[in-house]
Amino acid sequence: MIVHILSVIAFMLVTFAAQGVSHFVINADHFASIGFLRAEPIMAMGFAVMIIQGAILSFSLQIWKGDAVQIKEGLLISLIFGAFLVSYIALTEPAKYAVPSITDWLRIELVVGFLQFGIFGLVLGWLHRRFGSEKAPKGTP
């Protein structure tokens, strides 16, 4: 179970770093120009989503590969789930809402999403490779 807890924490850290830096530092002007965003985000809801998504990714990797995880498989599953999630945000949101620039929206969401899920995938694979086997250490009853 420790590998899943560590994976969720890692997902939260990577996501908060990638999306936080994008939203509040690098692309702050872009996001400030979007009229439908809250002035004060409801952080608890964002944390809940990160916990759910991190857990789904971690358990999916374990179900798929068991204890025989390679880092590349963590990267692959994270990029697949990331493509599923980011495609909605990148393509459907500007189709529904009047974003100031569809081109900017696509560029920002696709680049940040790829970085977020790519970095997390490497971490996920490493965590499962390092901590995934919950068997008792040799020499213990």
Side-chain angles (χ1 to χ4, degrees), residues 40-120:
E40 293 294 324
I42 302 170
M43 297 302 285
M45 293 176 80
F47 286 125
V49 168
M50 288 186 276
I51 291 167
I52 292 165
Q53 290 177 348
I56 289 170
L57 282 160
S58 185
F59 282 106
S60 296
L61 181 58
Q62 183 182 39
I63 290 166
W64 177 38
K65 295 307 283 186
D67 289 334
V69 174
Q70 299 295 316
I71 292 174
K72 66 181 179 181
E73 293 154 348
L75 177 61
L76 179 61
I77 201 161
S78 185
L79 288 174
I80 290 169
F81 275 84
F84 179 81
L85 295 168
V86 173
S87 65
Y88 175 84
I89 295 165
L91 299 173
T92 304
E93 294 299 310
K96 295 188 305 183
Y97 304 113
V99 299
S101 168
I102 291 175
T103 303
D104 287 347
W105 181 276
L106 289 170
R107 177 183 47 79
I108 291 167
E109 294 301 335
L110 291 172
V111 168
V112 174
F114 177 76
L115 289 172
Q116 172 191 348
F117 284 94
I119 292 167
F120 176 68

Side-chain angles (χ1 to χ4, degrees), residues 2-23:
I2 190 74
V3 71
H4 300 303
I5 293 168
L6 292 172
S7 295
V8 168
I9 292 168
F11 186 75
M12 293 175 76
L13 292 172
V14 170
T15 299
F16 198 74
Q19 295 295 337
V21 169
S22 175
H23 280 69

Side-chain angles (χ1 to χ4, degrees), residues 125-137:
W126 180 81
L127 286 171
H128 274 260
R129 183 150 174 80
R130 173 73 173 86
F131 300 102
S133 177
E134 297 184 359
K135 300 171 191 156

